Amino acid sequence: MREEYIYAVARVRGKEQKLLSAPVMDSLVSASGVGDALRILSDHGWGEGEVTVSGIDEMFKAERKKTWEFIGELVKDMSVFDVFLYANDYHNLKAAVKETARMETRDSVFIDRSECTIDAETIRRALKDHDYGSLPEEMAPVAAEALDVLLHTGDGQLADIIVDRAALARIREAGAKSDNEIIRMYAELTVACANIKTAIRSCLMKKDKAFLNRALAPCDSLDVADLAQAASESTDAIYEYLGRTTYAEAVPEIRKSPSAFERWCDNLMIRKIRPEIHHPFTIGPLAAYILARDNEIKCVRMILSGKVNDLSVDSIRERVRETYV
Amino acid sequence: MSGLGLFFAILGAALAALLAGAGSARGVGMAGQAAAGVVTDQPDMFGRVLILQLLPGTQGIYGLLIAFVAMNNLGIMSGNPEVSCSLLKGLAYLGACLPMAIVGYISAINQAKAAVASIALVSKRPDQFGKSMLFPAMVETYAIFALLISILALNGVGAI
């Protein structure tokens, strides 16, 4: 029993009540327009004052910041949640690699420090100076390799794959080290779903097995060698392979579309974290809250994007994820 | 070996106060953390969560009561300790105090776990306060059983 999280979990219980429930999501979907949807969000405490369409990105940024500031108030050692931020670190690394190779500056693509374990500026400087000592030891060789590949081959996709695989490996490693079930589950599911997406995309792009072996990251719930073999053959071979794994239920969704599969992954994650609503003593409810907020922001972003682009209500509803509360 | 009986008798009284008190202190502390977490965002919940926080505190009171009864029987309270207390009688006092000491400690911790869960319940469903009180209160039953046995045993030992 970890008594150190009792206060934090009680705080999270209060915050969980402010998460957007399924009926609220439904009212957002049914809103007459983006302005109406933003008003509903404002009523539920989103954004500072009145939010306009041009301020939507800022609103999401502020909401993500709110989550991490709140968790920061509760936990002394935030490194237990680094696993949720590695994807952002490596996103910044990809952006910095491209920026350095192409010698162009695009500040807007970098993710804010509050959502990363390492400052984007540190990564940019390390790449610019070819001095990787300031980067975490897992990131330094990847940064050097990705930049080298991009400078010598000009193959941006290959550089991305090197970084993406390293990100997944880091997430998996952090999951394996964690003593919390939710964090382990998050790491495994993230890596497995990313592998499935990569396998499908690579198969459609007729990539060879050598490429797949380089792109797919090891994980426990999938045999990466078998998945690479299947992806080098056909999409049917991938479906046949996945049908023999714990991801068999995902096959009909993958057949529908990549976005349907992504929705299936997000819903699976939410279903797996939902029991944390009843756990009072572990760090699990905090991790679950972070994931629930992430899912909520992703879902609202999708709804608002649909409203901005005048998609039909049914079309938006198809994309909406399950909610944590 | 004169006085060894008295030593064991006092050890029993001390254990009853010590273990039951330590369990309650830990339990009330655990529930207090949960209560503070709820009140941070919902100050109007103070009264309800305070009651739930106090529930694991009763074992400490029971332990204190047993210690008082034992010390009173031994004449310590009146300033005339029963120095001639036999070893057998002293061990009997120790045995009489143990139910409250051990059950008091364990039940306080477990009641605190139930209280923490109930505080979470009340924070989400304030209308369920009555029911939420019952879950930790159930654990109290076993602390009361232990108290009863310790009192009956102390009375019996006093007659030796």
Side-chain angles (χ1 to χ4, degrees):
Chain A
M1 185 177 59
R2 304 288 296 272
E3 288 174 30
E4 65 189 283
Y5 294 117
I6 294 176
Y7 170 78
V9 173
R11 291 283 310 272
V12 165
R13 293 286 171 254
K15 289 285 181 192
E16 279 171 1
Q17 293 174 74
K18 290 172 187 159
L19 287 172
L20 302 180
S21 61
V24 176
M25 284 292 179
D26 202 51
S27 66
L28 281 174
V29 172
S30 314
S32 57
V34 68
D36 194 20
L38 286 171
R39 252 191 311 280
I40 295 169
L41 286 173
S42 176
D43 291 344
H44 286 85
W46 280 54
E48 305 268 320
E50 196 178 327
V51 179
T52 58
V53 177
S54 62
I56 287 176
D57 281 339
E58 279 305 309
M59 177 181 76
F60 288 129
K61 214 174 179 179
E63 288 302 316
R64 280 196 300 268
K65 203 172 172 188
K66 261 192 228 172
T67 306
W68 285 104
E69 279 176 356
F70 170 63
I71 296 294
E73 276 177 37
L74 306 177
V75 182
K76 279 185 205 147
D77 177 15
M78 287 290 279
S79 66
V80 286
F81 298 122
D82 281 355
V83 66
F84 300 131
L85 302 175
Y86 287 148
N88 293 346
D89 289 345
Y90 284 81
H91 164 90
N92 282 346
L93 177 59
K94 272 198 283 188
V97 165
K98 285 176 187 157
E99 181 187 67
T100 309
R102 291 168 190 159
M103 286 187 285
E104 58 183 20
T105 306
R106 285 177 65 203
D107 291 333
S108 60
V109 296
F110 291 96
I111 297 172
D112 191 71
R113 174 72 181 94
S114 62
E115 297 169 53
C116 299
T117 67
I118 178 168
D119 189 13
E121 207 46 52
T122 307
I123 301 175
R124 292 165 90 177
R125 208 176 316 114
L127 284 159
K128 199 175 157 198
D129 301 342
H130 296 271
D131 176 7
Y132 305 105
S134 55
L135 298 182
E137 59 177 318
E138 299 89 346
M139 189 185 265
V142 181
E145 188 189 356
L147 183 62
D148 196 47
V149 163
L150 191 56
L151 286 172
H152 289 95
T153 67
D155 188 344
Q157 192 185 33
L158 186 57
D160 280 354
I161 273 175
I162 290 166
V163 177
D164 286 339
R165 191 181 194 274
L168 293 174
R170 187 110 188 255
I171 290 170
R172 186 187 183 224
E173 190 193 345
K177 277 184 189 165
S178 174
D179 56 3
N180 181 263
E181 180 58 31
I182 290 291
I183 291 175
R184 283 201 301 273
M185 180 278 297
Y186 165 82
E188 180 59 28
L189 201 55
T190 301
V191 178
C193 290
N195 277 340
I196 295 170
K197 279 181 227 168
T198 305
I200 296 283
R201 213 179 310 126
S202 303
C203 180
L204 294 173
M205 292 165 74
K206 308 261 182 258
K207 294 286 182 186
D208 60 18
K209 205 173 160 188
F211 177 90
L212 281 153
N213 283 332
R214 193 161 193 186
L216 300 178
C219 66
D220 296 329
S221 54
L222 289 172
D223 185 321
V224 174
D226 285 356
L227 182 61
Q229 177 61 40
S232 65
E233 291 169 15
S234 65
T235 49
D236 283 335
I238 299 175
Y239 302 149
E240 198 271 326
Y241 167 68
L242 291 176
R244 289 185 271 118
T245 69
T246 51
Y247 303 97
E249 281 178 25
V251 173
E253 304 301 321
I254 302 170
R255 282 180 192 275
K256 272 188 218 161
S257 68
S259 68
F261 173 60
E262 202 148 323
R263 182 174 183 263
W264 181 86
C265 294
D266 290 343
N267 285 345
L268 180 65
M269 186 84 77
I270 287 295
R271 272 177 236 146
K272 295 221 176 201
I273 63 171
R274 208 170 270 143
E276 292 302 318
I277 287 179
H278 308 295
H279 290 173
F281 295 110
T282 68
I283 200 169
L286 279 76
Y289 178 75
I290 294 170
L291 291 172
R293 276 287 282 166
D294 201 39
N295 180 66
E296 180 182 79
I297 291 168
K298 193 189 279 185
C299 197
V300 171
R301 183 188 285 280
M302 220 152 336
I303 294 170
L304 292 184
S305 166
K307 293 288 172 196
V308 168
N309 293 300
D310 276 334
L311 294 185
S312 70
V313 167
D314 289 339
S315 172
I316 297 173
R317 190 165 280 128
E318 273 175 18
R319 293 168 167 80
V320 172
R321 270 70 172 153
E322 287 179 22
T323 54
Y324 181 55
V325 291
Chain B
M1 297 301 282
S2 171
L4 200 56
L6 182 63
F7 167 76
F8 279 117
I10 292 177
L11 180 66
L15 282 176
L18 189 100
L19 288 180
S24 278
R26 193 172 158 199
V28 173
M30 284 163 66
Q33 288 181 61
V38 170
V39 174
T40 305
D41 290 316
Q42 299 161 273
D44 54 318
M45 299 295 286
F46 174 73
R48 289 179 177 132
V49 296
L50 183 69
I51 293 169
L52 288 164
Q53 186 203 346
L54 292 176
L55 287 176
T58 50
Q59 285 82 349
I61 300 169
Y62 301 159
L64 185 73
L65 177 68
I66 291 301
F68 268 131
V69 171
M71 288 195 296
N72 190 46
N73 287 2
L74 289 163
I76 294 170
M77 304 296 282
S78 56
N80 294 310
E82 194 183 325
V83 183
S84 60
C85 176
S86 68
L87 181 61
L88 176 69
K89 195 172 178 182
L91 287 172
Y93 267 115
L94 173 63
C97 291
L98 282 182
M100 192 62 249
I102 295 168
V103 179
Y105 182 78
I106 295 171
S107 67
I109 304 294
N110 285 297
Q111 193 169 35
K113 288 181 189 173
V116 167
S118 286
I119 286 169
L121 164 62
V122 171
S123 82
K124 285 196 169 179
R125 308 274 304 268
D127 57 314
Q128 299 298 311
F129 176 62
K131 287 177 192 164
S132 75
M133 287 260 294
L134 287 176
F135 303 126
M138 289 296 190
V139 187
E140 190 76 15
T141 315
Y142 302 96
I144 293 170
F145 288 165
L147 173 69
L148 190 64
I149 291 302
S150 284
I151 286 181
L152 290 174
L154 281 175
N155 286 338
V157 174
I160 293 176

